[in-house]
Amino acid sequence: MRALLPLLAILSVPLSAHVMSMSTGDVTVQGNRAHYELSMPIYEIGELKDPETALFDHIHFSTAGQPGRLVRHACHPDMGQGAFLCSADYEFPIPVDRLDIDCTFHQITVPNHVHLLRAQKDGKNGQAIFDFTAATAQIRFDPPTAAEIFFTETGAGFVRALGGLAQILFLAALALAARTRRELLALTGMFLLGQIAAALLAPGFNWSPAPRFVEAATALTIAYMAVEILALPEAGKRWLIAGALGIFHGLYFALFLSTSEFHAFYVLTGAALAEAILIAFFAFCFSRIGKLAAGFRPAQVSAGLLLAVGMFWFFLRLRS
């Protein structure tokens, strides 16, 4: 059973983490004052006893080491948008030059939560992303260089590709489904092609799927790939299935791109790089498993676990 440890380690990640967990914020700076608007999905704060207090305890603004004082804040749910909306005013001891932000919303929502903050001052704009990998940032209100844009947006795509349990489990299933190295390359290539196509084309259809739909659909992709492995071990043209399932994963990036307004090329390049690396890692692990524990039928056992998790996750999100 030691051969199954890589997969079991992944399955031990809490299922409460969502595929798509994102909030947005807008801050407008004028002199030594700042006005902040927050939109948080209601389902992310359903278990918080006092969400208004908790949210503002986990975001702080400062400039030149001087903290901003929260002088007013108010929140209310908007069921039409499915969001918990907040506004706040901050006052600083000195005029704001560069805005420093400390945001840890991922500590009170889900571990892969992303907060996208847009800032404006005197007609100049800035933007920052906060998640479990980066809880602090500085907005300088200067036009970013080409290198800064490339590394920021490519890095965002890299992290987003690995930011949820469902994405990681599907990549494991994809690697498990490959019977040869050639097939692994075909599956990976078609999956990435389907993902990129969906991310680029979905906005053109004027359709913005709900995050819960994207999450439920992604859970089904895990289950379907597991069924393909268990029920159709000799099936051909599995690369077509990988391409079709990649479309569902591309919907996540379509949502992210529409919210962040990042360059699609940079974000999708970073995502593809992260996914290719993880697929290669899983393929290596499963090849070792096959040699060391062939008697335990590790491929079938792993596929069975993936099927169970995928179906459980699908019904869990369907009910919610």
Side-chain angles (χ1 to χ4, degrees):
M1 295 298 293
R2 288 188 306 168
L4 296 179
L5 287 179
L7 180 60
L8 294 176
I10 296 171
L11 296 177
S12 67
V13 179
L15 288 177
S16 60
H18 305 143
V19 173
M20 181 70 176
S21 178
M22 179 181 292
S23 59
T24 58
D26 292 276
V27 59
T28 302
V29 176
Q30 292 182 329
N32 69 329
R33 299 183 68 87
H35 179 72
Y36 175 59
E37 299 279 349
L38 167 67
S39 178
M40 174 73 68
I42 285 181
Y43 60 78
E44 298 289 14
I45 58 171
E47 298 182 2
L48 295 180
K49 294 182 178 179
D50 186 357
E52 182 172 338
T53 299
L55 289 171
F56 285 103
D57 282 346
H58 285 267
I59 187 165
H60 303 280
F61 299 93
S62 63
T63 184
Q66 301 295 315
R69 182 172 64 91
L70 183 61
V71 296
R72 185 199 67 84
H73 65 90
C75 298
H76 70 277
D78 186 325
M79 302 310 296
Q81 298 184 41
F84 191 69
L85 304 179
C86 298
S87 62
D89 291 312
Y90 291 84
E91 188 175 84
F92 299 85
I94 58 176
V96 176
D97 179 21
R98 298 183 177 185
L99 186 65
D100 297 298
I101 308 101
D102 185 347
C103 178
T104 54
F105 286 157
H106 66 277
Q107 294 180 358
I108 56 172
T109 54
V110 291
N112 65 320
H113 183 79
V114 178
H115 182 58
L116 175 65
L117 180 68
R118 296 176 288 256
Q120 185 180 52
K121 173 195 168 189
D122 300 331
K124 298 179 181 179
N125 299 315
Q127 188 167 269
I129 290 181
F130 303 92
D131 57 16
F132 69 95
T133 67
T136 61
Q138 182 182 82
I139 297 178
R140 298 176 298 175
F141 301 103
D142 294 327
T145 65
E148 288 174 333
I149 292 174
F150 172 80
F151 286 111
T152 298
E153 300 186 8
T154 303
F158 191 100
V159 174
R160 298 288 77 72
L162 309 179
L165 176 60
Q167 294 105 312
I168 296 175
L169 287 178
F170 179 79
L171 297 179
L174 199 67
L176 190 63
R179 291 156 292 197
T180 64
R181 290 184 180 178
R182 183 176 180 179
E183 187 175 37
L184 178 66
L185 292 175
L187 291 177
T188 302
M190 287 301 295
F191 164 71
L192 294 178
L193 183 62
Q195 176 177 272
I196 292 170
L200 295 178
L201 298 178
F205 290 96
N206 198 28
W207 177 53
S208 180
R212 287 296 191 183
F213 169 81
V214 175
E215 186 165 358
T218 305
L220 275 184
T221 65
I222 301 170
Y224 187 91
M225 188 58 75
V227 169
E228 180 84 8
I229 298 169
L230 291 170
L232 302 168
E234 302 300 326
K237 297 184 178 180
R238 195 169 278 177
W239 52 271
L240 285 175
I241 302 298
L245 298 182
I247 293 174
F248 292 100
H249 289 259
L251 294 177
Y252 165 77
F253 287 101
L255 288 172
F256 178 75
L257 288 169
S258 65
T259 303
S260 66
E261 299 181 353
F262 282 175
H263 296 84
F265 176 79
Y266 294 152
V267 172
L268 295 175
T269 297
L273 177 62
E275 289 163 341
I277 291 173
L278 195 56
I279 289 172
F281 169 76
F282 280 130
F284 173 77
C285 290
F286 287 133
S287 67
R288 299 285 293 177
I289 288 172
K291 295 177 181 178
L292 298 176
F296 291 101
R297 304 182 69 189
Q300 289 76 12
V301 173
S302 299
L305 289 172
L306 289 168
L307 175 60
V309 172
M311 292 306 299
F312 174 76
W313 203 335
F314 170 72
F315 286 113
L316 181 67
R317 295 314 179 212
L318 199 63
R319 288 184 58 189
S320 62

